[in-house]
Amino acid sequence: MPKLWNETIEEHRRAVRDTVLEVTAALVAEQGLRGVTMSRIAEGTGIGRATLYKYFPDVESILTAWHERQIDGHLQELAALRDRPGSPGERLTAVLGAYARIQQRRHGHDAEIGAVLHRGEHVAHAERHLLRFVGELLGEGVEAGEVRDDVAQDELAAYCLHALGAAGGLRSQAAVRRLVQVTVDGLRPSP
Amino acid sequence: MPKLWNETIEEHRRAVRDTVLEVTAALVAEQGLRGVTMSRIAEGTGIGRATLYKYFPDVESILTAWHERQIDGHLQELAALRDRPGSPGERLTAVLGAYARIQQRRHGHDAEIGAVLHRGEHVAHAERHLLRFVGELLGEGVEAGEVRDDVAQDELAAYCLHALGAAGGLRSQAAVRRLVQVTVDGLRPSP
């Protein structure tokens, strides 16, 4: 059955949009933020400048859209780990490990974009979402007796996310695993 | 015995300099960063503008000097706690507690100045100093069997300072104490 015309247009637009985001992120990674202009993005995407301006008004709005998509992807990755089988403690460790690896990457490849964009409202929103998300998982851990119950879950969630921010300065995956272990050890109920 | 002329001048200069720093910090706290000009600082200090310019070329250099003095004061406070009697673990907890309270204050009263200045070279220098400082104290803790020995001390130091950064979002002293407790629990040797 052929697709409806509207659906086809919608798909086409999404494909163009996605390509613009990819091309822009790649250009910034190659040439730094300052070297990237709307003309170069249009050229790299293979569309005209006039068409590009129908999608985005400027480079910053493209980077913001790219960053929002990155953050959404990260949140989905963490949600998938939360929803896997296993005890709350196991799933918490998996989620915190993935979060630490995201922090590590963020300070590598994507550092320049992140530094520019990391004070937007969408970031604050994602951080609140993440705190709630981790807080709920900690609550399950408390129920299961795997997480300490003498400190409120929102405080523990803030502790986790801050502590794992140290992954930004770590080079090896082994060091990130050790950081996750130390952070999780701080969450254990006293023996 | 009367002081040497040079010493008296030196003391006078230091007093003026200190007053300029205090007045500027107070003006920023009252009126925000944008409202503060060299003229207002001269007025508040009770010296002429021409004299003020002999000390500092602009508002930013005054704030940087003020911030450096703040950071020095913090490092001295932490060093004093490290040098008190007690086991390495007790002194470590005292140092980390003081650091957490500094983080909490920094996000309150001094937040605006801090946000502007917190990416200077003097801050990076102080952070490296602090990491080494906490790392050494952790080393003493390992020797005494009070700190885990399965993770390198520089990694544990980075964990501590990041985790305690969560104090910036905490309102009560009790919450800060709980954060320090959780962070320190992550450092314990496995039973």
Side-chain angles (χ1 to χ4, degrees), chain A residues 10 51 56 62 71 81 96 115 117 121 126 130 133 147 151 163-164:
Chain A
E10 196 45 58
T51 309
F56 294 102
I62 301 177
I71 289 176
L81 288 168
L96 296 182
L117 297 173
E121 176 48 36
L130 196 57
F133 174 98
V147 170
V151 178
L164 297 174

Side-chain angles (χ1 to χ4, degrees), chain B residues 97-179:
Chain B
Y99 179 76
R101 286 190 296 279
I102 291 167
Q103 292 301 306
Q104 189 188 28
R105 280 205 301 279
R106 206 163 75 68
H107 285 251
H109 192 67
D110 308 335
E112 196 179 4
I113 303 179
V116 172
L117 297 174
H118 232 271
R119 269 157 296 156
E121 177 48 37
H122 67 286
V123 176
H125 177 80
E127 279 172 5
R128 285 192 297 273
H129 178 89
L130 195 58
L131 278 170
R132 216 169 34 237
F133 173 99
V134 172
E136 284 166 11
L137 202 45
L138 286 161
E140 289 184 46
V142 171
E143 295 271 317
E146 293 179 302
V147 171
R148 65 197 301 159
D149 62 0
D150 58 341
V151 179
Q153 281 124 51
D154 59 336
E155 290 179 16
L156 288 181
Y159 153 79
C160 289
L161 299 187
H162 274 87
L164 297 174
L170 297 176
R171 298 217 181 142
S172 75
Q173 291 300 312
V176 171
R177 278 195 297 275
R178 288 191 292 271
L179 174 64

Side-chain angles (χ1 to χ4, degrees), chain B residues 17-34:
Chain B
R17 204 182 131 87
D18 283 352
T19 311
V20 169
L21 301 188
E22 294 307 327
V23 165
T24 306
L27 283 172
V28 171
E30 270 168 36
Q31 304 173 7
L33 209 49
R34 279 156 207 254

Side-chain angles (χ1 to χ4, degrees), chain B residues 75-93:
Chain B
L75 292 176
Q76 281 170 26
E77 181 190 344
L78 299 178
L81 289 168
R82 176 196 56 191
D83 296 338
R84 287 217 299 216
S87 78
E90 285 162 2
R91 293 182 290 127
L92 181 66
T93 304

Side-chain angles (χ1 to χ4, degrees), chain A residues 105-156:
Chain A
R105 279 204 300 279
R106 206 163 74 70
H107 285 251
H109 193 67
D110 308 336
E112 197 180 5
I113 304 178
V116 172
L117 297 173
H118 231 268
R119 271 157 294 158
E121 176 48 36
H122 66 287
V123 176
H125 178 80
E127 279 172 7
R128 285 192 297 274
H129 177 90
L130 196 57
L131 278 170
R132 218 170 32 240
F133 174 98
V134 172
E136 284 166 11
L137 202 45
L138 285 161
E140 289 183 46
V142 170
E143 295 271 317
E146 294 180 299
V147 170
R148 64 196 302 160
D149 63 359
D150 58 341
V151 178
Q153 282 124 50
D154 60 336
E155 291 179 15
L156 288 182

